[in-house]
Amino acid sequence: MNWLTNLMRPDLRNLTAYSSARTEAGGFHPDIAIDANEFPWPPFGSITGQGPLNRYPEPQPRALIQRLAAVWGVTAEQILIGRGSDEGIDVLLRLLCRAGEDEILICPPTYGMYKVAAEIQGAKLLSVPLTKEYQLDVPAILKNCTANTKLIFIPSPNAPIGHLMRSKDILELCTARVAKSLIVIDEAYIEFSDMPRGMLDELKNHDNLVILRTMSKAHALAGERVGVVIGTPELIQNLRKIIAPYPLTQSSIRAALDALSPNGIVQNIERRNVIIAEWERMAKLLPQSPQVVSVYPSTANFLLLQTKDSKAFMQQLAQFSILARDRNSNIPNTLRISIGTPEENNLVLKALGITQSSKTTSPRLFSKRRGTKETVIDVTVNLDAPNFLNIDTGIGFFDHMLSQLASHGGFGLELHCKGDLVIDQHHSIEDCALALGEALKAALGDKRGIARFGFSAPLDEAVANVVVDLSGRPYFVFTGNFPGEKVGEMSSEMVPHFFRSLATAMNAAIHLTVQGENTHHMVEASFKATGRALRQAFQREGSPDNIPSTKGVL
Ligand SMILES: *Cc1c(COP(=O)(O)O)cnc(C)c1O
């Protein structure tokens, strides 16, 4: 019997997994699916382009697995996807541990779910504390292991402290426990560390090494529940037999694929860098509070603080409506805080009497893909990086106008549109306006100003006057009359239509008045003046703490 089968629960060795008609049909994609008793219409409120919510999702979504495999440089057969890495912990325990007989080993202070999952499965718990330096006590771990120690769970970066475990110690455990235990390295926060590949490259050297990854922390997807087990194809095949038949929802699969798209990764890295910079700032400033004794070394998106009295500290924060995590149960009088946006961090510091505001502010970058039957648009806007422009809609004059809007608007714009131009430019222009408006609105986040901004742009005999109000109430008023039917290859009637769509998607009021004799001048002045008015509206004003309250006016 091979070593893994030998480690598995004997009653699961010959388990036949649940199989649906679609699994059994392999690659067959029917036009009419009457195999799974689904409702034939999508539900109320479903958004087009989100995947058919009335249909069962793929049990192990192929596209997502392939994308993860490509991003991490492993094979698809090494990946199991589940509802968060918490489900990974659970299925590993269920596959290997007989209730009342087998055991797992943990090294406190550690993540709390290992113990809970073990208790649910009825597995026994061995506990070998970390050393004084909070590293693995390899000799003590090996001494405590028995023939029934099936799993050793090690978070690295550690939770709740946040520092990395030494690779050398992990590999020593793998070697010493070969064919006896799985060494499970839980890398929930690895993307924030300076070794973002974690232990991935050691998988090929150690059959009993297993890695847990999650999209909850560094990929901003805690609400969608996507986690991954990476191990040998043989282990993964067995876990696939016992995991719930459809662990991920259609929308979580979609959200994970979006997050891992090239644009998603770019946005994520930019934001992660802000978190890392803010982590440093907080680690430096927090000891100014008389309540903070020291800050534990961390390389994750949180800090563990040694306080004089963690309960009093929690109460002080609560007065400012701030909730942190009391870790007194792990290490006496410690408290953990997650790194938030620069603006949130400022408020945390303020609550502790430290008034040093961040010079950094939340990145105002947003990417999205907007697809309909007629057009597919990839758009990225960056309100703080005016210098990148890359626009291709297939309509030359429109490209020129969009670049006027962005450069006068003071924002970076990358926009690619594949549309049905052979039929008409109508769809492309309208959908570009909608995609751009939605992206601008999202990039502005909660900092929508309520002031009115206006600009006049003359261009030879023509002049455009624009007033915008990012009020949350879409409205468009156009006054003007273009003498020419076309400008470049673009029909001039599409100009007010563009601005109306933009106003709708941005939730803005835009009033545009244009006069002149030359249509080209009038159109160009309209885009320029709107860009200039938006530039004023996008400006950050005053102190970065000055954000409209979330309970506030808008
Ligand atoms: C947050 C966390 C997890 C859980 O991740 P999910 O994928 O959201 O279930 C696992 N391990 C550690 C150490 C964590 O901190």
Side-chain angles (χ1 to χ4, degrees):
M1 197 170 5
N2 114 347
W3 70 270
L4 179 66
T5 317
N6 195 36
L7 283 190
M8 280 168 51
R9 272 167 48 192
D11 50 330
L12 290 182
R13 285 176 195 157
N14 295 313
L15 181 79
T16 311
Y18 174 77
S19 127
S20 67
R22 278 166 223 177
T23 323
E24 283 160 23
F28 172 50
H29 294 290
D31 289 326
I32 299 174
I34 49 171
D35 58 312
N37 304 344
E38 297 151 333
F39 207 71
W41 298 283
F44 176 78
S46 80
I47 302 160
T48 46
Q50 271 216 330
L53 295 185
N54 53 320
R55 300 289 173 191
Y56 277 99
E58 275 182 89
Q60 285 290 306
R62 236 166 325 163
L64 180 53
I65 288 184
Q66 275 164 4
R67 184 69 191 137
L68 286 166
V71 170
W72 289 333
V74 298
T75 66
E77 292 71 34
Q78 287 176 282
I79 292 181
L80 174 88
I81 310 196
R83 289 166 297 192
S85 46
D86 284 347
E87 187 170 37
I89 296 166
D90 183 54
V91 289
L92 283 165
L93 258 148
R94 283 198 280 144
L95 184 70
L96 301 185
C97 294
R98 292 164 296 181
E101 290 186 57
D102 294 319
E103 62 210 13
I104 72 161
L105 189 146
I106 60 170
C107 304
T110 192
Y111 180 53
M113 272 308 289
Y114 313 134
K115 178 165 181 272
V116 174
E119 280 169 356
I120 293 170
Q121 178 62 15
K124 294 195 262 184
L125 192 74
L126 290 177
S127 203
V128 179
L130 295 176
T131 62
K132 272 202 209 75
E133 293 79 40
Y134 295 111
Q135 285 293 332
L136 297 169
D137 191 342
V138 178
I141 293 172
L142 294 177
K143 214 173 95 201
N144 277 275
C145 280
T146 75
N148 291 343
T149 309
K150 298 288 182 71
L151 291 156
I152 301 178
F153 284 102
I154 301 168
S156 178
N158 171 275
I161 300 177
H163 63 309
L164 288 163
M165 295 295 108
R166 277 194 291 264
S167 306
K168 175 175 97 31
D169 293 346
I170 293 171
L171 298 178
E172 198 181 325
L173 282 180
C174 290
T175 306
R177 294 297 300 170
V178 67
K180 295 183 200 136
S181 308
L182 295 185
I183 314 300
V184 185
I185 308 302
D186 182 348
E187 300 187 328
Y189 303 97
I190 199 76
E191 293 91 341
F192 296 105
S193 78
D194 58 6
M195 53 176 288
R197 286 196 58 72
M199 300 302 287
L200 286 175
D201 296 321
E202 293 296 338
L203 285 166
K204 60 180 185 306
N205 304 325
H206 297 274
D207 273 357
N208 60 337
L209 174 65
V210 180
I211 294 175
L212 299 178
R213 290 280 179 106
T214 176
M215 297 196 68
S216 294
K217 308 288 166 50
H219 295 275
L221 278 178
E224 290 288 9
R225 313 300 303 126
V226 182
V228 177
V229 181
I230 314 169
T232 61
E234 208 187 340
L235 172 70
I236 298 306
Q237 209 174 20
N238 281 298
L239 291 173
R240 283 182 184 178
K241 284 192 200 166
I242 65 164
I243 197 167
Y246 305 102
L248 294 198
T249 62
Q250 296 278 20
S251 61
S252 59
I253 296 167
R254 177 82 260 143
L257 278 169
D258 282 347
L260 294 167
S261 67
N263 275 343
I265 289 177
V266 169
Q267 172 176 307
N268 185 235
I269 289 176
E270 167 131 347
R271 292 187 174 179
R272 215 184 285 157
N273 287 338
V274 173
I275 302 270
I276 292 168
E278 280 293 296
W279 173 92
E280 257 175 58
R281 183 171 77 94
M282 294 296 275
K284 222 182 270 166
L285 291 177
L286 280 164
Q288 288 183 12
S289 159
Q291 302 235 42
V292 176
V293 178
S294 62
V295 179
Y296 283 80
S298 153
T299 173
N301 64 333
F302 58 82
L303 286 166
L304 187 72
L305 309 179
Q306 186 67 54
T307 67
K308 289 193 178 132
D309 179 348
S310 62
K311 212 169 158 197
F313 203 120
M314 289 288 289
Q315 278 164 1
Q316 183 175 348
L317 290 175
Q319 286 176 0
F320 293 82
S321 188
I322 296 169
L323 179 66
R325 180 85 157 122
D326 194 339
R327 294 282 72 194
N328 186 49
S329 58
N330 283 53
I331 307 175
N333 283 320
T334 56
L335 175 144
R336 194 191 66 201
I337 61 167
S338 313
I339 305 298
T341 66
E343 295 83 2
E344 288 170 340
N345 300 332
N346 286 340
L347 294 174
V348 171
L349 291 170
K350 223 178 198 169
L352 299 172
I354 304 165
T355 52
Q356 198 167 329
S357 281
S358 177
K359 286 186 195 67
T360 344
T361 39
S362 289
R364 299 189 299 172
L365 172 80
F366 193 81
S367 294
K368 74 174 289 164
R369 164 167 282 204
R370 190 179 195 282
T372 64
K373 283 206 180 92
E374 286 108 14
T375 59
V376 176
I377 296 164
D378 284 296
V379 59
T380 299
V381 297
N382 190 337
L383 302 191
D384 304 306
N387 296 328
F388 82 87
L389 283 181
N390 184 354
I391 298 163
D392 178 16
T393 64
I395 310 166
F397 186 78
F398 185 46
D399 290 354
H400 179 46
M401 288 303 104
L402 286 176
S403 73
Q404 293 286 319
L405 183 75
S407 56
H408 287 277
F411 60 90
L413 174 63
E414 181 163 351
L415 189 150
H416 300 278
C417 172
K418 284 200 190 72
D420 54 354
L421 288 175
V422 275
I423 303 172
D424 192 1
Q425 41 179 247
H426 188 107
H427 292 139
S428 288
I429 293 176
E430 173 175 310
D431 291 351
C432 284
L434 294 173
L436 175 60
E438 288 162 9
L440 286 171
K441 183 170 142 227
L444 276 164
D446 59 1
K447 301 194 94 187
R448 283 171 291 161
I450 47 165
R452 273 206 184 145
F453 301 97
F455 205 87
S456 294
L459 197 80
D460 299 347
E461 90 301 339
V463 61
N465 296 297
V466 175
V467 185
V468 301
D469 183 357
L470 306 185
S471 58
R473 293 179 302 280
Y475 209 91
F476 178 66
V477 179
F478 177 70
T479 318
N481 206 343
F482 297 116
E485 217 167 90
K486 284 212 156 213
V487 46
E489 68 269 56
M490 191 173 147
S491 48
S492 45
E493 66 174 18
M494 286 311 293
V495 174
H497 192 71
F498 170 85
F499 287 110
R500 177 169 293 115
S501 305
L502 185 73
T504 306
M506 274 188 81
N507 266 2
I510 301 180
H511 292 234
L512 165 62
T513 307
V514 61
Q515 293 167 317
E517 288 159 20
N518 176 305
T519 306
H520 185 142
H521 291 167
M522 290 167 72
V523 172
E524 188 159 341
S526 302
F527 276 85
K528 261 189 188 168
T530 309
R532 286 282 155 181
L534 288 176
R535 175 192 285 253
Q536 296 171 351
F538 292 166
Q539 217 65 251
R540 294 188 203 257
E541 289 182 330
S543 138
D545 300 346
N546 245 345
I547 46 172
S549 148
T550 45
K551 310 174 194 78
V553 278
L554 289 176

